[in-house]
Amino acid sequence: MLGKAVEWKLIGLAPRIKLLRETGREQTIDPETEAKLFAVAKQPMNDFLVIIQDTGMRPEEVFRIRIENIEWTRKVIFNPHGKTRASRRDVPISERMFDLLMFRCAGKRDGWLFPSPRAADSHLTTVAKQFREARRKAGLPESLVLYCARHTFATTAYEATGNLAMIMKVMGHTDVRTSMCYQHPAVDSIRDAIDQRNPRHNSRHSELRVQ
């Protein structure tokens, strides 16, 4: 806004404002948490949660999925929306996603995946109330928010592939620093790597335990 004010010659110089450092969300949805949510959540929140976790799409992108943008053979969904070129991208369709998409798209070749005749845009625009209700019933902390599902995708994909460039592409990021904010890797792989580097140390401890 200040930059525009300078451009429109409303002010001579934009003041420098030091912003507070953003604190990223450190929480992801583990299998136990997911099971608790699925046990009490209603549709379409369940399907919505699966799609975000398995594609890394933003919630607003999931709401605007159109059936004609699903490529069944390639098992990808094309997202044509977004402010940047990176936002317009293909995202993967997992096996469990494929099943729910087949059910939702049965007999349809086009239209919204999550239609809503009551909405101005003819599609759902929020499942926030459903998510909060499911979280309450499952006894989960308020720190768990829907966007944690996107962090879950990034963390799982990075741990499995180590390919940050591909994760950036799938998530629609243009800055590697943005993608790194979504990485919450477990330390197990680091522990395993250190143990593999020290096989003699491991053998010695095994011998001591036997004695």
Side-chain angles (χ1 to χ4, degrees):
M1 291 175 65
L2 291 172
K4 281 295 182 182
V6 173
E7 181 183 334
W8 296 338
K9 298 181 180 181
L10 298 175
I11 59 176
L13 183 67
R16 292 186 178 182
I17 300 175
K18 187 176 181 180
L19 301 176
L20 292 175
R21 186 174 180 180
E22 181 180 1
T23 302
R25 297 187 181 97
E26 296 295 329
Q27 200 163 356
T28 58
I29 301 175
D30 57 36
E32 182 180 355
T33 300
E34 180 188 86
K36 289 180 178 179
L37 285 171
F38 286 163
V40 295
K42 299 177 181 179
Q43 290 290 17
M45 207 283 287
N46 271 8
D47 288 353
F48 195 79
L49 188 60
V50 168
I51 293 175
I52 297 182
Q53 286 192 108
D54 290 12
T55 65
M57 296 178 78
R58 301 173 178 90
E60 62 270 21
E61 293 173 338
V62 177
F63 288 127
R64 294 189 289 177
I65 292 176
R66 292 192 63 86
I67 296 172
E68 56 266 34
N69 289 331
I70 300 173
E71 298 188 33
W72 300 99
T73 303
R74 292 177 56 216
K75 287 190 174 182
V76 296
I77 298 175
F78 175 63
N79 177 65
H81 310 288
K83 297 179 180 178
T84 66
R85 182 178 299 178
S87 296
R88 298 183 284 275
R89 67 202 187 277
D90 288 334
V91 297
I93 296 176
S94 65
E95 291 298 327
R96 65 175 181 173
M97 250 187 76
F98 190 86
D99 292 338
L100 77 82
L101 289 174
M102 287 287 287
F103 180 79
R104 283 195 166 272
C105 299
K108 303 176 185 176
R109 293 187 178 183
D110 56 26
W112 300 111
L113 183 65
F114 294 99
S116 177
R118 294 180 296 177
D121 294 328
S122 302
H123 62 74
L124 285 178
T125 57
T126 181
V127 290
K129 184 177 180 180
Q130 282 191 349
F131 184 84
R132 289 194 300 268
E133 183 65 15
R135 183 182 62 196
R136 183 187 64 79
K137 288 182 178 179
L140 298 170
E142 291 186 2
S143 59
L144 184 74
V145 296
L146 190 58
Y147 220 79
C148 290
R150 188 161 145 90
H151 286 250
T152 302
F153 169 84
T155 301
T156 303
Y158 186 68
E159 288 182 345
T161 68
N163 192 335
L164 186 58
M166 180 57 68
I167 293 168
M168 285 179 60
K169 184 176 180 180
V170 172
M171 296 189 73
H173 290 155
T174 55
D175 190 332
V176 66
R177 291 173 298 181
T178 304
S179 295
M180 288 306 297
C181 291
Y182 286 79
Q183 312 304 318
H184 312 293
V187 298
D188 298 28
S189 57
I190 298 176
R191 184 191 306 110
D192 293 342
I194 298 300
D195 286 343
Q196 290 175 14
R197 188 188 65 185
N198 303 307
R200 293 180 61 186
H201 181 80
N202 294 338
S203 300
R204 182 183 174 189
H205 272 266
S206 296
E207 292 173 0
L208 288 174
R209 284 196 296 270
V210 171
Q211 293 174 0

